[in-house]
Amino acid sequence: KKKKKKIVLIRLLNHLLTNNLLTDRQHGFLAGRSTITALTDLVEHIIDNIERKNTVTSTFLDLSKAFDCLDHQLVMAKISSLGIKETALLWFKSYLGERKQVVTIQQTTNGVTKTTTSSPLAITRGVPQGSVLGPVLFILFTCDLPDYINSYCYPVMYADDTVLTTSDKSTELLEINTFISINMAHQYCIENDLVFNKSKTQHVIFGRNKDQVTIPADTQISHSTKHLGLILDDCLSWNIHIDSLCSQLCAALFALRRIKLISTPEATKVVYHALFESRIRYGIIL
């Protein structure tokens, strides 16, 4: 079964890439793309606009349980719209639809354990967890989001982590475009049955006039936010991220000292790569 899914994945990606059906704003689960390419895309776009003397607002969207919310009928409609037809479409329908779930409760009374199981219920939402196809189905499902809001902002996506960046010399136009972008993203989520949590959506504002910018009342402004493992601050100084990283590295060094006393050099080296080097090297290109 795993081999079959991998074959389907290869053919699906080949179809999508050959026909240029995936947006270049999506960096998740695609060959040659990663969290680092997403962060680089975002940061370079912000810096380019600051150098043009624009004020920049980056809106970090919060999509609640995005992978679990996908409606199967909508997924099938998106798959069909991308040119997947007939037998292949039926295969995806079977893959998503022929699943059921049950709830089992165990209760122990006076040393006697009783098990109660609910009736099977068909699963109509979500992509299978741990499957090689699940993440790709999600990025396929949301690949039309950039075209939906592209006129008002610059979206950068890594799976369900989405940032909408607006920029302008005029703070008034910036506020208008930011407001429109958020509301269009909200509307997109409604149309696609996704849960958009406005109260957890954050804005980080960059540029000389950032203190003059106001944001929609039901969202929050932050001077920094953690995104894809890095902490971005509104000055792009990386000071907050460096402070956080130093704390993590101090903890890693403490663990290494303890492990070195009780373990082999080989094991210590493995821990060093896992806890120390991986953290200090992550995002170093930025």
Side-chain angles (χ1 to χ4, degrees):
K1 286 186 177 180
K2 287 185 178 180
K3 287 184 178 180
K4 184 186 292 185
K5 290 173 186 175
K6 286 183 179 179
I7 292 170
V8 171
L9 175 63
I10 292 169
R11 292 185 177 180
L12 175 62
L13 288 175
N14 183 58
H15 168 74
L16 296 173
L17 295 172
T18 301
N19 294 285
N20 198 28
L21 296 173
L22 289 176
T23 174
D24 61 353
R25 303 293 173 81
Q26 175 61 260
H27 294 261
F29 311 110
L30 296 171
R33 298 202 161 204
S34 64
T35 55
I36 296 302
T37 62
L39 286 162
T40 302
D41 189 7
L42 173 63
V43 172
E44 286 185 350
H45 182 75
I46 293 170
I47 291 173
D48 287 346
N49 277 280
I50 291 174
E51 289 177 347
R52 297 189 195 109
K53 303 190 185 307
N54 288 337
T55 305
V56 182
T57 298
S58 286
T59 304
F60 297 80
L61 303 184
D62 184 86
L63 301 179
S64 300
K65 297 183 178 179
F67 283 76
D68 297 327
C69 290
L70 298 188
D71 182 276
H72 289 175
Q73 290 186 349
L74 292 175
V75 173
M76 293 304 300
K78 291 282 183 84
I79 291 174
S80 178
S81 70
L82 293 171
I84 298 169
K85 307 290 184 182
E86 300 174 350
T87 304
L89 189 64
L90 290 174
W91 187 92
F92 278 104
K93 184 178 181 180
S94 172
Y95 173 72
L96 289 171
E98 294 185 1
R99 297 174 185 272
K100 296 182 184 295
Q101 61 184 0
V102 296
V103 176
T104 299
I105 299 175
Q106 285 189 338
Q107 183 178 12
T108 302
T109 306
N110 297 326
V112 178
T113 300
K114 293 183 179 180
T115 301
T116 304
T117 302
S118 68
S119 301
L121 184 67
I123 298 174
T124 59
R125 288 181 176 273
V127 292
Q129 299 295 313
S131 166
V132 294
L133 283 171
V136 177
L137 286 176
F138 180 83
I139 66 171
L140 180 153
F141 185 82
T142 56
C143 68
D144 56 345
L145 173 59
D147 289 338
Y148 191 84
I149 57 178
N150 216 22
S151 300
Y152 301 96
C153 65
Y154 184 87
V156 177
M157 306 164 68
Y158 183 88
D160 59 332
D161 289 304
T162 302
V163 186
L164 311 180
T165 300
T166 52
S167 58
D168 208 287
K169 287 184 172 64
S170 165
T171 55
E172 183 179 355
L173 286 175
L174 177 67
E175 291 168 4
I176 291 171
N177 286 337
T178 300
F179 179 81
I180 293 173
S181 299
I182 295 170
N183 281 277
M184 288 190 72
H186 189 204
Q187 184 62 35
Y188 177 89
C189 289
I190 292 172
E191 292 175 4
N192 290 275
D193 220 4
L194 297 171
V195 180
F196 177 35
N197 194 337
K198 270 193 176 183
S199 64
K200 291 185 178 180
T201 292
Q202 292 187 328
H203 302 270
V204 180
I205 305 172
F206 308 87
R208 291 183 298 176
N209 298 322
K210 60 188 175 186
D211 294 332
Q212 301 174 21
V213 179
T214 57
I215 61 168
D218 50 355
T219 55
Q220 56 180 309
I221 189 168
S222 300
H223 293 293
S224 65
T225 189
K226 189 171 185 178
H227 180 61
L228 300 178
L230 295 185
I231 301 175
L232 279 73
D233 62 86
D234 56 7
C235 295
L236 288 181
S237 66
W238 303 106
N239 289 336
I240 300 174
H241 177 73
I242 291 169
D243 289 342
S244 174
L245 180 61
C246 287
S247 297
Q248 295 176 44
L249 294 179
C250 284
L253 280 174
F254 177 78
L256 280 169
R257 290 193 190 102
R258 298 294 298 271
I259 290 168
K260 185 179 178 181
L261 295 174
I262 61 173
S263 189
T264 63
E266 290 76 15
T268 305
K269 189 175 181 180
V270 170
V271 175
Y272 163 77
H273 287 301
L275 296 183
F276 195 93
E277 186 182 21
S278 61
R279 288 174 176 168
I280 201 169
R281 290 177 67 88
Y282 181 73
I284 198 169
I285 191 174
L286 296 167

